[in-house]
Amino acid sequence: MTRVTLVTVAYNSAAVLPTLLASVPEDVTCIVVDNGSNDPSATRALAEHYGAELIISERNIGFGPGCNLGAAQATSEFLFFVNPDAQLTPGAVDALLAAADAHPEACAFNPRLREGNGKIAFKRRSKLLAKSQWLSRDAAQADCEIPVLQGSAIFVRREAFEQVQGFDPNIFLYHEDDDLSLRLQKSCGALRLVTTAEVVHLFGESTVRSPQTAALKAWYMGQSRVYACRKHGMPNAFGTALREALAQLLSPVTLLSRRKRAKNWAYLRGIWNARNAQDAKRPFQPTP
């Protein structure tokens, strides 16, 4: 039986998905969750071509809930959540398995992530952490314990993932990885970086880039930030987010880009929407 199930959530991701699916080793089960794409037949064709299992959600239920949907079908020892705009390098899964076997006290792992230009991408801080818990910029040079996982490629023991009941379904998009990290760390064990396992990630390319898509993502980024910060006891969650959003919206750079205007305005609206906990689950509404 395979030890690893890779789960990827696709939302209008047919252009980038082939690169990921082609990089998945033969001994790794792959589950693709089509999360309400405009044309799910394209995702179906790719899944069939690369021998992946396909789950179709008729509507976009969010990234974390989409991962939960895929993970529910897995029976393997490990789950590997990978963004559709990523590519596994040869030996990455074997290196993660070796690290997991060498560190039974750890429950989840990040591979080393590189951008398309080769630059290392490392998540050393989080809105859900005090500054005293942030890592230094050079911490990514060697294997180490990390305070939070970067969500574009999370390798986790399935039993641990199930113990904390997976991703929080109240978080549609953004900060779901930070929230999961803190719950895993509290209940299941350490989080670690594995530098011998590498994944290339084209950040922000999992869906088509447009002002509309930017606004959709930014709305949920603002909404999720307030919700997650409140959940984990960060002080003045709404006020701090609101000040930062206003500063971004009033930046001169915003005036020069239609996409940035759409993004920053939606971010502000998402934060404002989350000011009352009872409103936090309201779906995104485009600006008239």
Side-chain angles (χ1 to χ4, degrees):
M1 179 183 295
T2 179
R3 297 183 68 189
V4 181
T5 299
L6 184 147
V7 177
T8 190
V9 178
Y11 174 67
N12 298 328
S13 307
V16 296
L17 195 55
T19 300
L20 170 63
L21 296 181
S23 71
V24 178
E26 291 185 1
D27 60 345
V28 172
T29 300
C30 183
I31 297 176
V32 177
V33 178
D34 186 279
N35 205 11
S37 294
N38 295 334
D39 183 13
S41 64
T43 310
R44 183 184 298 279
L46 289 170
E48 291 177 354
H49 178 75
Y50 288 99
E53 299 178 25
L54 178 65
I55 299 172
I56 293 181
S57 174
E58 294 185 357
R59 62 183 181 88
N60 189 342
I61 59 175
F63 176 76
C67 288
N68 291 343
L69 194 61
Q73 302 302 313
T75 58
S76 57
E77 182 181 358
F78 294 94
L79 298 168
F80 195 11
F81 299 104
V82 183
N83 276 25
D85 56 340
Q87 180 181 20
L88 311 185
T89 61
V93 173
D94 288 339
L96 287 165
L97 284 170
D101 291 340
H103 294 278
E105 80 286 355
C107 63
F109 306 80
N110 261 158
R112 170 172 279 169
L113 289 155
R114 289 190 184 274
E115 300 178 17
N117 60 8
K119 181 181 178 181
I120 293 176
F122 178 55
K123 187 173 187 177
R124 65 187 186 88
R125 59 188 183 181
S126 166
K127 299 293 185 184
L128 307 188
L129 294 174
K131 288 187 177 181
S132 60
Q133 296 175 281
W134 294 2
L135 297 181
S136 64
R137 295 182 184 277
D138 61 355
Q141 300 305 313
D143 289 13
C144 62
E145 286 195 21
I146 51 179
V148 285
L149 299 159
Q150 187 150 312
S152 48
I154 293 178
F155 191 81
V156 58
R157 301 184 194 274
R158 182 173 59 84
E159 287 187 357
F161 184 78
E162 292 176 349
Q163 181 177 329
V164 300
Q165 299 182 317
F167 287 99
D168 185 339
N170 291 317
I171 302 179
F172 185 91
L173 189 66
Y174 293 110
H175 300 294
E176 72 286 323
D177 48 353
D178 305 62
D179 169 70
L180 177 68
S181 298
L182 297 184
R183 289 186 289 115
L184 283 169
Q185 198 172 50
K186 180 179 179 180
S187 301
C188 303
L191 315 174
R192 292 190 61 85
L193 172 69
V194 183
T195 58
T196 52
E198 290 202 354
V199 171
V200 178
H201 182 210
L202 301 176
F203 288 83
E205 299 298 330
S206 57
T207 56
V208 177
R209 293 171 65 88
S210 69
Q212 292 76 21
T213 299
L216 173 73
K217 290 182 175 181
W219 163 278
Y220 286 112
M221 181 186 290
Q223 197 179 56
S224 298
R225 174 178 172 175
V226 176
Y227 170 83
C229 284
R230 282 175 173 160
K231 178 179 178 180
H232 291 278
M234 301 303 293
N236 197 21
F238 172 71
T240 301
L242 182 64
R243 286 195 300 272
E244 291 184 11
L246 286 170
Q248 289 179 16
L249 188 63
L250 297 175
S251 169
V253 178
T254 301
L255 300 175
L256 303 176
S257 168
R258 179 172 172 244
R259 184 174 177 276
K260 285 187 180 297
R261 286 196 302 274
K263 176 181 178 181
N264 291 341
W265 175 238
Y267 182 57
L268 176 62
R269 291 172 58 229
I271 290 170
W272 185 256
N273 176 72
R275 68 192 184 279
N276 297 316
Q278 62 267 31
D279 295 332
K281 294 183 182 180
R282 281 170 46 195
F284 170 71
Q285 296 294 333
T287 302

